Amino acid sequence: MITASYAFLPHIRASVVIIFKSVGYSMACVLVWRLQRAEGDDNAAARQLICRLSGRQQKRGRKESAPALLAGLSILLNTLMLLADYTPEELAHLAMVVFNPL
């Protein structure tokens, strides 16, 4: 009897996860939208860096696109989280281990 009354809990948890992910995605889209429309040299440099991080090619005459900015923003955030956990020296050592396994 008790298990039947709590059977809906996994569905509620899944719904909450979907809601939180949607909010996170919406926040990233708003950030990219704001960055695309911002003027100034610093904002242009930030857009160029983020597009470069994405690794996506742009059409001729187009400096950046929203999908490239979203992909680059994801890579930038992951890189910042990585730098918060490791020092540059530790990352260089790990890179040497990965690229020179012998």
Side-chain angles (χ1 to χ4, degrees):
M1 195 62 139
I2 293 174
T3 57
S5 63
Y6 292 109
F8 63 90
L9 281 179
H11 300 292
I12 291 177
R13 287 186 187 137
S15 301
V16 170
V17 168
I18 290 171
I19 290 170
F20 277 115
K21 284 186 177 185
S22 298
V23 168
Y25 296 145
S26 299
M27 290 172 54
C29 290
V30 168
L31 181 62
V32 165
W33 178 83
R34 187 178 57 109
L35 185 61
Q36 272 188 315
R37 279 144 186 82
E39 296 178 3
D41 294 336
D42 289 340
N43 291 315
R47 286 192 301 267
Q48 185 179 12
L49 170 71
I50 291 173
C51 279
R52 188 173 175 195
L53 284 174
S54 74
R56 297 188 180 197
Q57 292 184 354
Q58 301 299 316
K59 291 181 180 178
R60 184 178 298 264
R62 184 96 194 244
K63 292 186 179 180
E64 69 272 333
S65 64
L69 287 172
L70 280 170
L73 182 64
S74 172
I75 293 170
L76 178 64
L77 292 174
N78 286 329
T79 303
L80 292 174
M81 289 175 53
L82 184 71
L83 288 172
D85 293 338
Y86 296 98
T87 64
E89 292 80 19
E90 290 174 326
L91 290 174
H93 175 71
L94 291 173
M96 289 298 293
V97 170
V98 169
F99 294 122
N100 193 7
L102 300 177

